[in-house]
Amino acid sequence: MMITSRALVAFLSSFAICSHTAAFTQPSHRKTTSVVQRGGAHPMKDVIFGNKRKFGESTRLYSFDDNDEDEDNEPLSDGVDSVSWLPSVIDDKGPSDISSVRQGAEILPLFPLGGIVYTPNSEHVLNIFEPRYRKMYTDILMNGTKRFVVSMSHPEEQGRFAQTGVLFELEDLKEVSGQTNDQIKYICNHRVTGRVKLHRVINPSAWESRDTYLTVEGTIFDDTGKNKEDEKLDEDVSDDIYGPIASAASKADTKEEKDLKESFASLVDIQHELEEDVRFTKASVEALAVKDGSGEEGLWQTIRLWQAYADQRLVARQNELQKDFQEKLQEFLKKDKGMQDEELPSAIGFQDLSPALQKEVQDLQKRMTVELKPLILESTLTMQKILEADGHEDRCNLLRHFIDGERKRLAARKTLRGMFSSTAESITAENISEAEQILDKDPPAISTDESSSSSLLDEPDAFQ
């Protein structure tokens, strides 16, 4: 296993960053040197959330009120169990009866893709190399369907998948086995056109035998907006009086959409007040997409924006955790290896480090696993919870809930900052008074301390 200092734990290598960074600012990146390590420890497999596997306060990505009347109403109050999962296919040997498919459902290929949550109306590229998925692509090309289900895998249980997935439709496929010495068979472009409710796995034994891909019975929910556009074309809008009125009414925000916009605006205000390193731009408030359906005004745009924001916050925290180590590493390269700034390598072998730095790398791996793994999991479950929401109003309410949680987290920090600032000013005033009584002269040293205290309070927050 290869590990770099930008991603000292392996789970971050699968950490997808969305392409909405223009809507928010990010911390600047400084030059870093990567540490390449072979045979590193596997990232922590078990994350403990207490009896119900809840998220502890030290591992929360968002903050919620402790005095809520019913904690179980929190969307993620049960941790991993807050989202719906199919039963595990492990030890389930028998094929299901495909003659009893429920009305409106279809038999679809299943492609589980780790801990990543995809959203409708997005595009993705996949590299296909496993034999069973090579077979899947051959099949969907031959039968002309060109589509399959992608579902998130359970973070703790093998062979168990989220009950709500998305529909990938193949748009372009390139055969690259010749160029890659058959390491990769296809490079494929896809568009996510809808959500899929998974009812059951048809051939569970295929998961362990790996001789073919899984198939599922699922119901497709189209999220492209095409159905609504077709319905709109079928309507009689020839009436010159009621046509414009109906059009204006359809563009008006619903209560849920208005509430979402207000919550987002409040969050952006406090982000700028606290000068967060990762924050939404002021312009994003006016451009916030909250409508049902696809397109630039569709809510899924904002959901992906929120996913990108959570990703960037985690990356910023990751970089902050590595800051001290990077400084020590560069000092080691300059002093012990005699390198100048312009000679610093982009990577260095783990075995080339001093014993003290090797221990620091191992300690940093453990710390990042403990601190970041639960945050990444919560971010993933947040997106999965939104994905499985019943409808547009529910998605608006869920997203607003998570936005409010982030706003409350920042409001608590603002309160603490004010408390510590007031305490520092009070202590400084008392010291000045006491010094004037005893020394009866100007207290320049105290003035310097006050400046030092202010500087300490103005240091960037650990999450920036």
Side-chain angles (χ1 to χ4, degrees):
M1 181 173 62
M2 308 294 284
I3 302 177
T4 69
S5 68
R6 282 192 179 274
L8 283 170
V9 278
F11 59 81
L12 287 175
S13 64
S14 61
F15 191 38
I17 303 299
C18 300
S19 58
H20 293 79
T21 53
F24 52 83
T25 61
Q26 309 165 69
S28 58
H29 296 286
R30 57 187 182 281
K31 180 173 181 175
T32 60
T33 298
S34 298
V35 178
V36 180
Q37 177 180 357
R38 296 184 182 274
H42 192 279
M44 182 182 291
K45 294 182 179 179
D46 299 315
V47 182
I48 299 174
F49 301 102
N51 293 335
K52 295 181 71 176
R53 290 182 292 178
K54 297 180 182 180
F55 297 100
E57 284 304 315
S58 60
T59 59
R60 293 307 298 262
L61 189 61
Y62 315 114
S63 174
F64 305 106
D65 290 339
D66 293 332
N67 58 352
D68 283 348
E69 294 181 2
D70 188 0
E71 185 180 303
D72 289 336
N73 287 332
E74 292 293 347
L76 300 182
S77 62
D78 290 331
V80 174
D81 294 332
S82 299
V83 302
S84 301
W85 305 94
L86 288 174
S88 175
V89 298
I90 302 296
D91 298 327
D92 186 353
K93 303 300 182 184
S96 297
D97 180 11
I98 61 173
S99 64
S100 59
V101 176
R102 69 197 67 198
Q103 186 176 1
E106 302 179 39
I107 304 299
L108 299 161
L110 174 63
F111 195 162
L113 282 176
I116 302 175
V117 179
Y118 296 95
T119 57
N121 305 315
S122 57
E123 297 181 1
H124 305 280
V125 177
L126 298 179
N127 298 329
I128 308 305
F129 52 90
E130 264 197 80
R132 52 180 167 174
Y133 297 119
R134 294 185 182 199
K135 182 179 186 304
M136 184 189 78
Y137 273 86
T138 300
D139 289 348
I140 64 175
L141 285 171
M142 292 294 290
N143 62 31
T145 58
K146 295 185 179 181
R147 62 184 186 176
F148 55 90
V149 180
V150 170
S151 179
M152 181 179 78
S153 298
H154 196 287
E156 299 172 2
E157 300 180 35
Q158 287 289 322
R160 198 173 181 194
F161 316 109
Q163 199 167 9
T164 301
V166 291
L167 190 68
F168 269 46
E169 291 201 2
L170 180 63
E171 293 193 329
D172 184 52
L173 178 145
K174 293 181 181 178
E175 162 75 62
V176 294
S177 54
Q179 299 95 304
T180 63
N181 196 24
D182 205 36
Q183 294 296 309
I184 297 175
K185 176 71 172 176
Y186 302 122
I187 296 179
C188 309
N189 296 326
H190 312 80
R191 182 166 185 82
V192 181
T193 58
R195 292 167 296 122
V196 182
K197 177 69 175 293
L198 280 61
H199 304 298
R200 56 177 174 143
V201 177
I202 301 297
N203 55 340
S205 60
W207 177 250
E208 293 185 274
S209 68
R210 306 176 74 88
D211 56 355
T212 188
Y213 53 90
L214 295 173
T215 56
V216 295
E217 176 188 350
T219 301
I220 300 172
F221 300 94
D222 187 279
D223 286 292
T224 61
K226 292 179 181 177
N227 292 341
K228 291 186 178 181
E229 290 175 5
D230 292 340
E231 291 174 4
K232 187 176 181 181
L233 289 174
D234 292 337
E235 293 176 357
D236 182 10
V237 293
S238 60
D239 192 316
D240 293 336
I241 298 177
Y242 296 107
I245 297 176
S247 176
S250 66
K251 293 181 179 180
D253 291 337
T254 65
K255 179 183 182 301
E256 290 76 15
E257 292 167 352
K258 289 179 181 177
D259 291 344
L260 177 57
K261 284 185 173 181
E262 290 175 2
S263 292
F264 184 77
S266 297
L267 171 62
V268 174
D269 285 342
I270 195 169
Q271 283 180 336
H272 282 261
E273 184 178 353
L274 294 176
E275 297 183 343
E276 290 285 285
D277 273 0
V278 181
R279 61 183 183 269
F280 294 101
T281 62
K282 291 283 190 179
S284 66
V285 175
E286 296 299 325
L288 194 70
V290 297
K291 294 299 181 184
D292 192 7
S294 61
E296 295 182 356
E297 296 183 355
L299 180 65
W300 288 113
Q301 295 283 349
T302 295
I303 291 172
R304 284 192 292 277
L305 177 65
W306 185 253
Q307 185 178 32
Y309 168 70
D311 289 350
Q312 289 296 336
R313 271 193 56 209
L314 289 167
V315 170
R317 179 56 179 152
Q318 176 194 355
N319 291 337
E320 187 66 27
L321 287 171
Q322 297 180 61
K323 181 179 178 182
D324 290 341
F325 171 76
Q326 279 291 331
E327 292 174 355
K328 292 178 182 178
L329 175 59
Q330 293 189 12
E331 182 181 1
F332 166 77
L333 293 174
K334 292 177 182 178
K335 287 187 176 181
D336 292 38
K337 302 294 185 180
M339 296 182 180
Q340 302 298 319
D341 284 338
E342 61 275 10
E343 298 174 325
L344 293 176
S346 59
I348 183 173
F350 177 79
Q351 67 279 3
D352 297 326
L353 300 177
S354 66
L357 282 178
Q358 288 182 2
K359 185 177 185 306
E360 290 234 14
V361 169
Q362 294 166 344
D363 290 343
L364 183 56
Q365 284 179 327
K366 294 177 182 177
R367 185 182 176 194
M368 291 179 70
T369 299
V370 170
E371 290 200 24
L372 297 184
K373 180 69 176 290
L375 298 181
I376 293 173
L377 179 58
E378 185 176 4
S379 175
T380 301
L381 294 178
T382 294
M383 296 307 299
Q384 182 63 31
K385 193 70 177 177
I386 293 174
L387 186 69
E388 67 181 32
D390 289 335
H392 176 68
E393 290 183 0
D394 289 338
R395 281 190 286 275
C396 284
N397 289 332
L398 270 173
L399 182 56
R400 178 172 61 85
H401 180 88
F402 293 120
I403 288 174
D404 285 343
E406 171 69 352
R407 178 180 54 79
K408 291 171 184 176
R409 181 185 72 85
L410 296 180
R413 181 193 302 171
K414 178 183 174 182
T415 300
L416 287 173
R417 181 179 293 184
M419 290 170 58
F420 282 113
S421 178
S422 299
T423 302
E425 291 175 2
S426 175
I427 293 173
T428 302
E430 292 175 3
N431 289 345
I432 292 175
S433 177
E434 182 179 352
E436 287 176 342
Q437 292 176 14
I438 296 175
L439 302 176
D440 193 27
K441 62 180 181 181
D442 294 335
I446 293 172
S447 174
T448 301
D449 288 343
E450 183 179 5
S451 174
S452 176
S453 297
S454 175
S455 176
L456 177 63
L457 292 170
D458 290 339
E459 285 182 356
D461 182 82
F463 282 95
Q464 294 181 345

